[in-house]
Short mmCIF file of all heavy atoms in Angstrom, two decimals:
data_model
loop_
_atom_site.label_atom_id
_atom_site.label_comp_id
_atom_site.label_asym_id
_atom_site.label_seq_id
_atom_site.Cartn_x
_atom_site.Cartn_y
_atom_site.Cartn_z
N PHE A 925 -32.80 -171.97 -193.08
CA PHE A 925 -33.09 -170.70 -192.32
C PHE A 925 -32.99 -169.44 -193.13
O PHE A 925 -33.41 -168.39 -192.68
CB PHE A 925 -32.09 -170.61 -191.10
CG PHE A 925 -32.47 -171.63 -190.09
CD1 PHE A 925 -31.53 -172.67 -189.83
CD2 PHE A 925 -33.66 -171.61 -189.32
CE1 PHE A 925 -31.85 -173.61 -188.97
CE2 PHE A 925 -33.87 -172.57 -188.46
CZ PHE A 925 -33.03 -173.61 -188.19
N VAL A 926 -32.46 -169.50 -194.34
CA VAL A 926 -32.38 -168.29 -195.13
C VAL A 926 -33.20 -168.41 -196.38
O VAL A 926 -34.21 -167.68 -196.50
CB VAL A 926 -30.93 -167.95 -195.57
CG1 VAL A 926 -30.87 -166.67 -196.46
CG2 VAL A 926 -30.07 -167.74 -194.36
N LEU A 927 -32.99 -169.47 -197.22
CA LEU A 927 -33.68 -169.52 -198.43
C LEU A 927 -35.15 -169.90 -198.19
O LEU A 927 -36.03 -169.28 -198.79
CB LEU A 927 -33.11 -170.57 -199.35
CG LEU A 927 -31.69 -170.22 -199.89
CD1 LEU A 927 -31.20 -171.26 -200.88
CD2 LEU A 927 -31.67 -168.85 -200.52
N VAL A 928 -35.39 -170.80 -197.25
CA VAL A 928 -36.77 -171.19 -196.99
C VAL A 928 -37.49 -170.04 -196.37
O VAL A 928 -38.65 -169.80 -196.72
CB VAL A 928 -36.82 -172.43 -196.10
CG1 VAL A 928 -38.25 -172.65 -195.54
CG2 VAL A 928 -36.20 -173.63 -196.82
N SER A 929 -36.89 -169.27 -195.53
CA SER A 929 -37.57 -168.12 -194.89
C SER A 929 -37.91 -167.10 -195.91
O SER A 929 -39.05 -166.53 -195.93
CB SER A 929 -36.74 -167.46 -193.82
OG SER A 929 -35.89 -168.34 -193.19
N ILE A 930 -37.02 -166.80 -196.82
CA ILE A 930 -37.27 -165.84 -197.86
C ILE A 930 -38.43 -166.30 -198.77
O ILE A 930 -39.32 -165.58 -198.99
CB ILE A 930 -36.01 -165.58 -198.72
CG1 ILE A 930 -34.94 -164.94 -197.85
CG2 ILE A 930 -36.34 -164.69 -199.91
CD1 ILE A 930 -33.64 -164.75 -198.52
N ALA A 931 -38.32 -167.62 -199.13
CA ALA A 931 -39.44 -168.15 -199.93
C ALA A 931 -40.78 -168.05 -199.21
O ALA A 931 -41.80 -167.74 -199.82
CB ALA A 931 -39.15 -169.64 -200.32
N ALA A 932 -40.78 -168.42 -197.91
CA ALA A 932 -41.98 -168.40 -197.11
C ALA A 932 -42.60 -166.95 -197.09
O ALA A 932 -43.78 -166.75 -197.26
CB ALA A 932 -41.74 -168.85 -195.66
N ALA A 933 -41.62 -165.97 -196.90
CA ALA A 933 -42.13 -164.55 -196.85
C ALA A 933 -42.75 -164.13 -198.20
O ALA A 933 -43.78 -163.44 -198.23
CB ALA A 933 -40.94 -163.59 -196.56
N VAL A 934 -42.10 -164.53 -199.24
CA VAL A 934 -42.69 -164.24 -200.55
C VAL A 934 -44.08 -164.86 -200.77
O VAL A 934 -45.02 -164.26 -201.17
CB VAL A 934 -41.64 -164.76 -201.73
CG1 VAL A 934 -42.42 -164.56 -203.09
CG2 VAL A 934 -40.41 -163.96 -201.64
N TYR A 935 -44.13 -166.15 -200.30
CA TYR A 935 -45.39 -166.86 -200.42
C TYR A 935 -46.49 -166.16 -199.66
O TYR A 935 -47.59 -165.84 -200.05
CB TYR A 935 -45.19 -168.29 -199.85
CG TYR A 935 -46.41 -169.13 -199.81
CD1 TYR A 935 -47.05 -169.60 -200.98
CD2 TYR A 935 -46.99 -169.47 -198.58
CE1 TYR A 935 -48.22 -170.41 -200.88
CE2 TYR A 935 -48.03 -170.25 -198.50
CZ TYR A 935 -48.70 -170.76 -199.65
OH TYR A 935 -49.86 -171.49 -199.52
N TYR A 936 -46.24 -165.90 -198.30
CA TYR A 936 -47.20 -165.21 -197.45
C TYR A 936 -47.58 -163.86 -197.97
O TYR A 936 -48.69 -163.43 -197.68
CB TYR A 936 -46.65 -165.12 -195.99
CG TYR A 936 -46.42 -166.44 -195.32
CD1 TYR A 936 -45.40 -166.59 -194.40
CD2 TYR A 936 -47.28 -167.47 -195.52
CE1 TYR A 936 -45.20 -167.78 -193.77
CE2 TYR A 936 -47.08 -168.68 -194.81
CZ TYR A 936 -46.07 -168.87 -193.97
OH TYR A 936 -45.86 -170.01 -193.30
N SER A 937 -46.65 -163.19 -198.65
CA SER A 937 -46.97 -161.77 -199.11
C SER A 937 -48.08 -161.74 -200.00
O SER A 937 -48.59 -160.62 -200.32
CB SER A 937 -45.70 -161.17 -199.69
OG SER A 937 -45.47 -161.74 -200.92
N PHE A 938 -48.52 -162.85 -200.59
CA PHE A 938 -49.67 -162.85 -201.55
C PHE A 938 -50.99 -163.13 -200.87
O PHE A 938 -51.96 -163.26 -201.51
CB PHE A 938 -49.36 -163.81 -202.71
CG PHE A 938 -48.22 -163.47 -203.54
CD1 PHE A 938 -47.12 -164.34 -203.60
CD2 PHE A 938 -48.19 -162.26 -204.22
CE1 PHE A 938 -46.04 -163.95 -204.29
CE2 PHE A 938 -47.09 -161.88 -204.94
CZ PHE A 938 -45.95 -162.75 -205.04
N PHE A 939 -50.92 -163.18 -199.49
CA PHE A 939 -52.13 -163.55 -198.80
C PHE A 939 -52.60 -162.43 -197.86
O PHE A 939 -51.76 -161.68 -197.37
CB PHE A 939 -52.01 -164.85 -197.96
CG PHE A 939 -51.88 -166.04 -198.75
CD1 PHE A 939 -50.64 -166.52 -199.16
CD2 PHE A 939 -53.00 -166.77 -199.17
CE1 PHE A 939 -50.50 -167.67 -199.95
CE2 PHE A 939 -52.90 -167.86 -199.93
CZ PHE A 939 -51.68 -168.34 -200.33
N ASP A 940 -53.90 -162.29 -197.65
CA ASP A 940 -54.41 -161.50 -196.51
C ASP A 940 -54.46 -162.45 -195.38
O ASP A 940 -55.35 -163.24 -195.29
CB ASP A 940 -55.77 -160.91 -196.93
CG ASP A 940 -56.26 -160.07 -195.79
OD1 ASP A 940 -55.61 -159.80 -194.78
OD2 ASP A 940 -57.49 -159.67 -195.88
N TRP A 941 -53.54 -162.46 -194.45
CA TRP A 941 -53.35 -163.44 -193.44
C TRP A 941 -53.01 -162.90 -192.05
O TRP A 941 -52.11 -162.00 -192.02
CB TRP A 941 -52.27 -164.43 -193.92
CG TRP A 941 -51.98 -165.60 -193.08
CD1 TRP A 941 -52.91 -166.42 -192.50
CD2 TRP A 941 -50.74 -166.05 -192.58
NE1 TRP A 941 -52.33 -167.34 -191.75
CE2 TRP A 941 -50.99 -167.21 -191.75
CE3 TRP A 941 -49.42 -165.66 -192.84
CZ2 TRP A 941 -49.94 -167.91 -191.13
CZ3 TRP A 941 -48.38 -166.39 -192.15
CH2 TRP A 941 -48.66 -167.48 -191.41
N ASN A 942 -53.70 -163.27 -191.07
CA ASN A 942 -53.45 -162.75 -189.71
C ASN A 942 -52.45 -163.58 -188.87
O ASN A 942 -52.23 -163.23 -187.71
CB ASN A 942 -54.78 -162.43 -188.94
CG ASN A 942 -55.44 -163.74 -188.60
OD1 ASN A 942 -54.91 -164.88 -188.67
ND2 ASN A 942 -56.77 -163.64 -188.24
N GLY A 943 -51.92 -164.59 -189.49
CA GLY A 943 -50.86 -165.38 -188.75
C GLY A 943 -51.39 -166.59 -187.98
O GLY A 943 -50.58 -167.41 -187.64
N PHE A 944 -52.66 -166.68 -187.75
CA PHE A 944 -53.16 -167.87 -187.09
C PHE A 944 -53.82 -168.79 -188.08
O PHE A 944 -54.64 -168.32 -188.84
CB PHE A 944 -54.23 -167.40 -186.01
CG PHE A 944 -53.69 -166.52 -185.01
CD1 PHE A 944 -53.97 -165.16 -185.04
CD2 PHE A 944 -52.89 -166.98 -183.96
CE1 PHE A 944 -53.42 -164.25 -184.11
CE2 PHE A 944 -52.36 -166.13 -183.03
CZ PHE A 944 -52.62 -164.75 -183.14
N GLY A 945 -53.48 -170.04 -188.05
CA GLY A 945 -54.00 -170.99 -188.98
C GLY A 945 -53.38 -170.80 -190.31
O GLY A 945 -52.57 -169.89 -190.48
N PRO A 946 -53.70 -171.66 -191.26
CA PRO A 946 -53.09 -171.52 -192.62
C PRO A 946 -53.61 -170.37 -193.40
O PRO A 946 -54.81 -169.98 -193.21
CB PRO A 946 -53.52 -172.82 -193.29
CG PRO A 946 -54.72 -173.24 -192.55
CD PRO A 946 -54.67 -172.73 -191.18
N PRO A 947 -52.75 -169.73 -194.20
CA PRO A 947 -53.25 -168.65 -195.03
C PRO A 947 -54.11 -169.19 -196.23
O PRO A 947 -53.74 -170.13 -196.88
CB PRO A 947 -51.93 -168.03 -195.64
CG PRO A 947 -50.92 -169.07 -195.60
CD PRO A 947 -51.37 -170.01 -194.42
N THR A 948 -55.26 -168.56 -196.39
CA THR A 948 -56.18 -169.05 -197.40
C THR A 948 -56.66 -167.96 -198.38
O THR A 948 -57.02 -168.21 -199.45
CB THR A 948 -57.42 -169.63 -196.75
OG1 THR A 948 -57.94 -168.69 -195.76
CG2 THR A 948 -57.10 -170.95 -196.09
N LYS A 949 -56.63 -166.66 -197.91
CA LYS A 949 -57.23 -165.61 -198.66
C LYS A 949 -56.16 -165.00 -199.62
O LYS A 949 -55.34 -164.13 -199.16
CB LYS A 949 -57.74 -164.55 -197.76
CG LYS A 949 -59.05 -163.85 -198.31
CD LYS A 949 -59.77 -163.15 -197.17
CE LYS A 949 -60.05 -161.75 -197.56
NZ LYS A 949 -60.43 -160.95 -196.43
N LEU A 950 -56.06 -165.52 -200.86
CA LEU A 950 -55.13 -165.03 -201.79
C LEU A 950 -55.45 -163.68 -202.36
O LEU A 950 -56.64 -163.43 -202.73
CB LEU A 950 -55.08 -166.12 -202.96
CG LEU A 950 -53.82 -166.03 -203.88
CD1 LEU A 950 -52.57 -166.43 -203.12
CD2 LEU A 950 -54.01 -166.92 -205.10
N VAL A 951 -54.54 -162.70 -202.30
CA VAL A 951 -54.89 -161.37 -202.76
C VAL A 951 -53.93 -160.80 -203.86
O VAL A 951 -54.00 -159.66 -204.26
CB VAL A 951 -54.92 -160.37 -201.58
CG1 VAL A 951 -56.03 -160.65 -200.61
CG2 VAL A 951 -53.58 -160.33 -200.85
N GLY A 952 -53.03 -161.75 -204.37
CA GLY A 952 -52.18 -161.31 -205.40
C GLY A 952 -51.19 -160.22 -204.89
O GLY A 952 -50.61 -160.33 -203.82
N PHE A 953 -51.03 -159.14 -205.72
CA PHE A 953 -50.09 -158.11 -205.34
C PHE A 953 -50.67 -156.96 -204.55
O PHE A 953 -50.06 -155.91 -204.36
CB PHE A 953 -49.45 -157.54 -206.63
CG PHE A 953 -48.41 -158.52 -207.24
CD1 PHE A 953 -48.76 -159.42 -208.20
CD2 PHE A 953 -47.14 -158.43 -206.79
CE1 PHE A 953 -47.84 -160.30 -208.74
CE2 PHE A 953 -46.11 -159.33 -207.35
CZ PHE A 953 -46.50 -160.24 -208.29
N ALA A 954 -51.87 -157.17 -204.06
CA ALA A 954 -52.51 -156.10 -203.35
C ALA A 954 -51.72 -155.60 -202.11
O ALA A 954 -51.69 -154.35 -201.88
CB ALA A 954 -53.97 -156.56 -202.81
N ASN A 955 -51.04 -156.53 -201.44
CA ASN A 955 -50.27 -156.07 -200.25
C ASN A 955 -49.14 -155.13 -200.77
O ASN A 955 -48.83 -154.22 -200.04
CB ASN A 955 -49.67 -157.30 -199.53
CG ASN A 955 -50.69 -158.07 -198.73
OD1 ASN A 955 -51.63 -157.38 -198.14
ND2 ASN A 955 -50.52 -159.35 -198.59
N TYR A 956 -48.55 -155.42 -201.88
CA TYR A 956 -47.46 -154.63 -202.41
C TYR A 956 -47.90 -153.23 -202.76
O TYR A 956 -47.31 -152.27 -202.44
CB TYR A 956 -46.74 -155.29 -203.51
CG TYR A 956 -45.97 -156.53 -203.18
CD1 TYR A 956 -46.55 -157.77 -203.18
CD2 TYR A 956 -44.66 -156.43 -202.74
CE1 TYR A 956 -45.80 -158.92 -202.78
CE2 TYR A 956 -43.94 -157.55 -202.35
CZ TYR A 956 -44.50 -158.80 -202.36
OH TYR A 956 -43.80 -159.87 -202.03
#
Side-chain angles (χ1 to χ4, degrees):
Chain A
F925 292 108
V926 179
L927 294 186
V928 171
S929 329
I930 293 172
V934 172
Y935 174 72
Y936 293 144
S937 72
F938 296 117
F939 290 90
D940 180 8
W941 182 47
N942 66 15
F944 301 102
T948 49
K949 215 163 129 195
L950 197 66
V951 292
F953 283 92
N955 285 328
Y956 289 93

